[in-house]
Amino acid sequence: MAALHGSTLEAIKTHQAQLLDEWISGLEASGATRNIKEQMLSQETREFLQLLIEGLQSDSGNNIAATGWDEARRFLEKLSASRAQLGHDSHQTVFFIFGLKGPLFGLLQAHYSNEPGRLAEQLWVMSELLDNMGMHTIRTYQRTREAVIKRQQEELLELSTPVVKLWDGVLALPLIGTLDSQRSQTVMESLLQRIVDTGSEIAIIDITGVPTVDTLVAQHLLKTVTAIRLMGADCIISGVRPQIAQTIVHLGLDLGTLTTKANLADALKLALSRLGVSLAERV
């Protein structure tokens, strides 16, 4: 197995300024520095090159899981997280590492110009090391992006299930889009919490914006209504369009326990009448 030669380390330490200049130029030319300030990029490249030198001096080899690479791993994990937050893709992120290959390999070629065997050996050692670091960076980036996407999905779910207070004791939840299992759970939790917070007696779930109602959607609605009733409140489903009514009949779904209305206005009138509120029509 090829090992790092002391002369390689000395060459890197001696030509740090040259490596940094060429590395930064390559990063800028590739577009990997988008939304990154020049001062920040300069700081990151200097810090990583120093950590690379320290790791090489620790004789930890190419195993970046070794103790000697602890600081370098932490740096790459922090870098991956920051790039994900900036909206960089995986290629832009990992090119921070791979962008060092060109300047470093050029330096080694000049340094070992008279030793082709040693040159090939050291190129392999450094290439394998940087590849391992790139893979670690990609794995960290993917975990961070997945966390960001999951958080954004949760935030969108919350925004897509707004619970509105229509009257004292009356809440409304307008649904838009498909009602799947995850969203149904969010709907139930949001609505139940608002019932507790406001002490409301009636909740209206408006499905005008739900494109289709199938067996699964109907089951979600029934579960939500059951949970609301267990909280001591009542529930009205509004927005039952003719197409949805026909679909429910064709599917043979039993929604007999649900109170339904064609639109939100009719549902509100029914809710107010149940609360003993009378509305006088304007003449």
Side-chain angles (χ1 to χ4, degrees):
M1 180 177 177
L4 181 76
H5 194 272
S7 182
T8 298
L9 179 58
E10 288 303 316
I12 295 173
K13 292 167 65 176
T14 302
H15 297 87
Q16 290 185 59
Q18 174 188 335
L19 287 173
L20 287 171
D21 288 343
E22 295 179 6
W23 184 16
I24 291 174
S25 296
L27 291 174
E28 292 174 342
S30 71
T33 61
R34 180 172 58 87
N35 298 331
I36 302 174
K37 295 181 179 179
E38 182 179 347
Q39 182 180 0
M40 177 60 70
L41 179 63
S42 178
Q43 178 182 337
E44 288 176 342
T45 50
R46 285 199 309 271
E47 183 178 353
F48 178 73
L49 186 57
Q50 184 59 41
L51 291 173
L52 177 65
I53 292 172
E54 292 175 2
L56 293 173
Q57 289 175 330
S58 70
D59 292 328
S60 296
N62 293 337
N63 180 16
I64 63 169
T67 304
W69 294 111
D70 285 350
E71 291 299 321
R73 284 200 315 276
R74 279 191 282 269
F75 171 87
L76 293 176
E77 290 161 5
K78 182 179 178 181
L79 179 86
S80 299
S82 67
R83 294 297 193 269
Q85 295 293 339
L86 288 172
H88 286 207
D89 59 28
S90 57
H91 176 268
Q92 290 172 311
T93 302
V94 78
F95 193 77
F96 179 86
I97 304 298
F98 292 159
L100 180 57
K101 279 189 173 184
L104 181 57
F105 290 1
L107 172 63
L108 294 180
Q109 285 176 338
H111 187 69
Y112 292 112
S113 58
N114 297 322
E115 301 177 77
R118 178 62 55 81
L119 171 62
E121 177 189 73
Q122 295 306 290
L123 286 176
W124 175 260
V125 170
M126 295 307 302
S127 179
E128 189 176 31
L129 174 61
L130 293 177
D131 286 346
N132 289 340
M133 289 183 166
M135 291 301 298
H136 181 72
T137 302
I138 283 291
R139 286 192 294 269
T140 306
Y141 172 86
Q142 289 175 335
R143 288 196 299 268
T144 304
R145 284 297 296 165
E146 288 169 1
V148 170
I149 292 171
K150 182 178 180 181
R151 186 179 70 251
Q152 290 174 340
Q153 288 176 334
E154 292 172 350
E155 291 173 351
L156 286 173
L157 279 174
E158 292 176 0
L159 290 173
S160 66
T161 55
V163 181
V164 183
K165 184 176 180 180
L166 297 181
W167 200 274
D168 286 340
V170 181
L171 297 177
L173 174 62
L175 294 177
I176 299 175
T178 304
L179 189 64
D180 56 20
S181 299
Q182 182 179 4
R183 192 177 179 204
S184 175
Q185 184 65 29
T186 304
V187 166
M188 188 183 300
E189 292 174 357
S190 300
L191 195 49
L192 294 180
Q193 187 58 51
R194 285 285 283 165
I195 289 173
V196 172
D197 294 341
T198 62
S200 298
E201 301 174 38
I202 298 176
I204 301 172
I205 300 178
D206 184 71
I207 61 172
T208 303
V210 177
T212 58
V213 173
D214 54 18
T215 304
L216 185 61
V217 172
Q219 289 175 348
H220 290 324
L221 289 174
L222 286 171
K223 290 178 181 179
T224 303
V225 171
T226 301
I228 291 171
R229 288 173 176 171
L230 288 173
M231 295 293 294
D234 200 1
C235 184
I236 302 172
I237 305 295
S238 68
V240 180
R241 305 185 302 279
Q243 298 90 334
I244 290 180
Q246 291 176 16
T247 300
I248 292 173
V249 171
H250 290 156
L251 291 173
L253 302 176
D254 182 15
L255 301 183
T257 59
L258 296 182
T259 302
T260 61
K261 287 294 179 181
N263 53 61
L264 184 58
D266 291 342
L268 179 58
K269 289 179 183 178
L270 176 59
L272 293 177
S273 67
R274 289 183 178 181
L275 294 177
V277 178
S278 59
L279 299 177
E281 294 185 5
R282 180 178 295 179
V283 179

